[in-house]
Amino acid sequence: MVTSASPVWAQDSAAAEVLFREAQKDLDAGRVEAGCAKLRESNRLDPAVGTTFNLGDCEERLGRLATAWEHFRHVIDALPNTDPRRPVAERRAAALEPGLPRLTLVGTLPSDAVVKRDDIVVGRASLGLPLPLDPGPHVVVVEAPGHVDRRYEIDAVAATQRTLTLELGDPEPEPASPPVAPHSSLSPASAPTTPPSAPQPPPPASGGDGLTTAAWVAGGIGAAGLVLAAVAGGLTLAAKASVDEHCDAERLCSSQDGVDAAERGAVTGPLTTVGFVVGGVGAAAAVTLALMSDGEDSAASLRLFPGGGSLVLRF
């Protein structure tokens, strides 16, 4: 442990004495800023009442009224009532007090908020009190977790009082979300697959539509049968005329033309009959189905048997 008689203390005390003397030379020469800087260092190395009193005088000359007033108060607190220097310090402090700027900090802040004035933390007990400060610019900052610092810049004027209401800064912005991948994170093997749906059959036609279609089909078949009957009938008549010309009543023909005509007639004659039967039945079925197309669902089908010369309509 270092004692008052140690070499380290003696070295600090000697340095403080040198700084004090050099400070007096600067002050006498009007170099107030340089003299105050040396007095502050001297008082840091070896605090003394005389140095503190001279530092108060130096700070007052620089216009730092609250700092000078604080130094004179320290001298008053350090000296007994019988010390002749104490009344001088009391007069100097009393003369400065009316011109001190004062700032009162108020506001409802959470317990984890920190208030700083010129980078010095202001304790909770100091809030709401008119505290003295030096004239000139000052910065008050409110810091709180989750909030941006709220900064106040003020300009203190001598012999004025000001109240500053403190508030929290804006909430800190939320961190940016990571970009979303443009494709699914599922691998092809693990990605769910949906089986392709089977082709759906077309919806069944309504009863009316089915019958209407069947009527058109029957009508077409009937028209084809009538056309067949007309063509075959014409050929049959031509063959009969040629047979009458070249053959007798016993169908004995005198030329090959008569024989050929007889053979053609044997073919076209039955076709004419079939054509008329198909045409008649088809026309009748078409009319019947057309009349039934607005009724109940029906299934119609046509079957034609040319060999038997008949047409069957089933529904």
Side-chain angles (χ1 to χ4, degrees), residues 53 56-57 60 68-76 89 92 96:
F53 185 93
D57 179 75
E60 182 179 359
W69 177 79
E70 183 181 3
H71 288 315
F72 290 132
R73 293 299 309 172
H74 286 165
V75 171
I76 295 171
R92 298 290 296 271
L96 290 173

Side-chain angles (χ1 to χ4, degrees), residues 203-255:
S206 61
D209 292 343
L211 291 176
T212 300
T213 301
W216 281 102
V217 172
I221 293 175
L226 294 177
V227 170
L228 175 62
V231 174
L235 293 175
T236 301
L237 293 176
K240 182 178 183 302
S242 182
V243 169
D244 291 342
E245 179 181 355
H246 298 285
C247 303
D248 56 15
E250 300 297 333
R251 292 292 189 252
L252 297 176
C253 301
S254 59
S255 66

Side-chain angles (χ1 to χ4, degrees), residues 9 26 32 52 62 79 106 128 152 178 187 194 261 271 285 287:
W9 176 87
D26 287 334
V32 180
T52 303
L62 289 176
L79 295 176
V106 298
Y152 301 89
S187 62
T194 302
L271 290 178
V287 173

Side-chain angles (χ1 to χ4, degrees), residues 18-290:
V18 172
L19 286 168
F20 182 83
R21 291 179 181 182
E22 292 297 322
Q24 292 298 325
K25 293 178 182 180
D26 287 334
L27 293 174
D28 292 341
R31 298 186 294 269
V32 180
E33 187 68 49
C36 286
K38 290 181 175 66
L39 285 175
R40 295 189 196 102
E41 182 63 11
S42 175
N43 204 46
R44 186 187 70 82
L45 295 176
D46 184 18
V49 174
T51 305
T52 303
F53 185 93
N54 283 275
L55 191 54
D57 179 75
C58 184
E59 298 288 7
E60 182 179 359
R61 293 169 65 178
L62 289 176
R64 301 180 62 184
L65 304 183
T67 303
W69 177 79
E70 183 181 3
H71 288 315
F72 290 132
R73 293 299 309 172
H74 286 165
V75 171
I76 295 171
D77 294 338
L79 295 176
N81 294 334
T82 58
D83 193 303
R85 294 174 296 180
R86 179 169 178 165
V88 179
E90 289 176 346
R91 288 195 300 269
R92 298 290 296 271
L96 290 173
E97 193 165 358
L100 297 178
R102 295 182 183 272
L103 176 65
T104 304
L105 301 177
V106 298
T108 303
L109 300 174
S111 59
D112 56 355
V114 177
V115 180
K116 294 181 179 179
R117 190 190 70 190
D118 300 327
D119 294 329
I120 299 175
V121 176
V122 179
R124 292 279 170 168
S126 298
L127 299 180
L129 299 178
L131 302 179
L133 68 165
D134 293 326
H138 296 271
V139 176
V140 178
V141 179
V142 179
E143 302 174 356
H147 292 265
V148 178
D149 293 349
R150 176 63 62 87
R151 180 184 177 93
Y152 301 89
E153 296 183 359
I154 63 173
D155 190 15
V157 180
T160 60
Q161 296 193 24
R162 180 175 178 178
T163 300
L164 180 63
T165 302
L166 304 177
E167 297 179 353
L168 292 178
D170 295 332
E172 292 181 345
E174 295 290 336
S177 301
V180 179
H183 56 80
S184 174
S185 61
L186 294 177
S187 62
S190 61
T193 58
T194 302
S197 57
Q200 299 296 323
S206 61
D209 292 343
L211 291 176
T212 300
T213 301
W216 281 102
V217 172
I221 293 175
L226 294 177
V227 170
L228 175 62
V231 174
L235 293 175
T236 301
L237 293 176
K240 182 178 183 302
S242 182
V243 169
D244 291 342
E245 179 181 355
H246 298 285
C247 303
D248 56 15
E250 300 297 333
R251 292 292 189 252
L252 297 176
C253 301
S254 59
S255 66
Q256 186 62 39
D257 292 337
V259 175
D260 294 338
E263 292 177 353
R264 289 196 302 272
V267 175
T268 58
L271 290 178
T272 302
T273 303
V274 172
F276 277 118
V277 173
V278 172
V281 174
V287 173
T288 303
L289 292 172

